[in-house]
Amino acid sequence: MVKNGQSAAEPISDIGYRNPHCPALGIDVRTLAEEREHAPDQGGGGPQRLDFHLLVLVTRGHGTHMVDFVGHACRPGTLLWIRPGQVHAYAREPGLGARLVLFTPDFPPPLRIGPLLDDPFAPAHWRARGPDLRDLTRLTDLLGTAHDAYETGPRDLGTDLLRHTLAALLLRIALLPEPEGEPVPVGPGELFGRFRTAVEEGFAAERSVAVYADRLATTPKTLTRACLAATGRPAKAVIDARVALEAKRLLVHTDLSAAAIGRRLGFDEAANFGKFFRRTTGWTPGDFRTAPRGGAARDG
């Protein structure tokens, strides 16, 4: 039986960043084939929660890569960006080839690319063509070459080359056309950015707009205006969406009961959690847990 694109009761693997060849280096470049050969538990298709950034540039084949319950159709030229804390699963289809760039949150130099680096809700999927694809291919190839040469040259220079080449790649991604079928990345402003950070840290215990506004030394009305300007949704909807996403992850990838998941997310009564989940997703917790991939794609 398949649930939401994953096999039944398939647990999430928490994957920490590790560069097996250069342990102190905050970036690694490899192919999907190498990932599957050397770390089959990581590249074999099971769900993973990462503590680092992962860029996937598809070079051949077709498949579906899951990112937080959304199935992203992959073909040559597809670019995916999975961010720390997100749950993803590599496409299981044979014949898919891709170049992977893994990097820690503190490795890139400071960049002015809006929410792309810091926001887990920023776009995750682009289809690159023509000059865009050629530039992305050249930059990922250059990263691979620089990474291979890292151990043979001066480490400081090698690190700087990798850091600035990665910066060039991220800036080039920021210049790509708006992703098709994805939310438009909107500059969230300082207040919205601080709100998103606060929600990420506190959503399991707090869902009150007033409490977050107080923590941020502002008013609920001002906070809601900032959210509407950045996302088109009020502050309460932003909080509820984050809670619902975590509930989906726990329903699909753990054996916890709906009541236990509700308690973990701050609901005193199972009925209240059920009402919340139905209101925000259109599903009951039980129906979502057994839904096929189509339900996941619709509600991701």
Side-chain angles (χ1 to χ4, degrees):
M1 182 176 183
V2 174
K3 299 179 180 180
N4 293 298
Q6 306 301 333
S7 59
E10 196 169 14
I12 298 173
S13 299
D14 288 308
I15 306 297
Y17 175 80
R18 186 176 68 89
N19 185 327
H21 303 293
C22 310
L25 187 62
I27 187 171
D28 196 4
V29 183
R30 62 188 76 155
T31 65
L32 180 57
E34 290 170 340
E35 179 82 347
R36 287 174 168 161
E37 178 183 354
H38 298 296
D41 58 324
Q42 297 183 26
Q48 309 173 358
R49 180 185 285 109
L50 310 180
D51 70 356
F52 53 90
H53 292 267
L54 170 64
L55 300 175
V56 180
L57 182 61
V58 178
T59 56
R60 70 175 186 277
H62 294 77
T64 301
H65 193 125
M66 301 296 292
V67 183
D68 276 340
F69 300 96
V70 177
H72 295 277
C74 295
R75 63 192 187 200
T78 294
L79 174 69
L80 301 172
W81 189 335
I82 298 93
R83 296 168 179 84
Q86 290 187 298
V87 173
H88 85 113
Y90 287 106
R92 300 174 186 267
E93 291 83 355
L96 189 74
R99 172 62 66 87
L100 311 181
V101 179
L102 304 74
F103 61 95
T104 59
D106 60 348
F107 188 77
L111 297 170
R112 292 181 292 180
I113 57 174
L116 285 177
L117 265 176
D118 302 320
D119 187 352
F121 294 90
H125 182 184
W126 294 261
R127 295 194 190 281
R129 306 175 178 88
D132 291 332
L133 179 56
R134 287 195 293 272
D135 286 351
L136 295 178
T137 300
R138 280 195 290 261
L139 287 166
T140 53
D141 286 346
L142 181 56
L143 275 172
T145 301
H147 186 273
D148 291 343
Y150 172 79
E151 289 191 275
T152 63
R155 291 295 178 90
D156 290 345
L157 291 178
T159 300
D160 285 347
L161 175 60
L162 284 163
R163 180 171 281 122
H164 289 288
T165 305
L166 175 63
L169 174 60
L170 300 182
L171 289 165
R172 189 63 183 85
I173 293 172
L175 292 174
L176 291 174
E178 294 174 2
E180 299 172 3
E182 291 271 350
V184 177
V186 179
E190 181 184 357
L191 178 57
F192 178 71
R194 290 192 291 122
F195 174 58
R196 263 282 164 76
T197 299
V199 170
E200 194 64 27
E201 293 173 350
F203 69 85
E206 187 54 68
R207 299 189 302 278
S208 167
V209 175
V211 170
Y212 283 107
D214 185 62
R215 291 177 182 174
L216 298 172
T218 188
T219 66
K221 186 175 181 179
T222 299
L223 189 55
T224 288
R225 280 200 301 266
C227 291
L228 287 169
T231 69
R233 297 186 296 172
K236 179 60 174 171
V238 173
I239 299 168
D240 287 351
R242 184 62 186 91
V243 176
L245 174 58
E246 194 67 19
K248 289 179 180 181
R249 291 171 172 172
L250 294 170
L251 283 165
V252 173
H253 299 298
T254 76
D255 293 324
L256 292 172
S257 67
I261 291 171
R263 288 193 297 272
R264 181 175 289 193
L265 296 176
F267 293 87
D268 294 332
E269 300 289 340
N272 291 337
F273 170 65
K275 291 176 182 177
F276 166 86
F277 194 81
R278 181 69 176 264
R279 173 175 59 82
T280 54
T281 71
W283 296 76
T284 67
D287 286 345
F288 183 82
R289 175 164 260 167
T290 57
R293 172 181 288 177
R298 189 182 76 187
D299 289 302

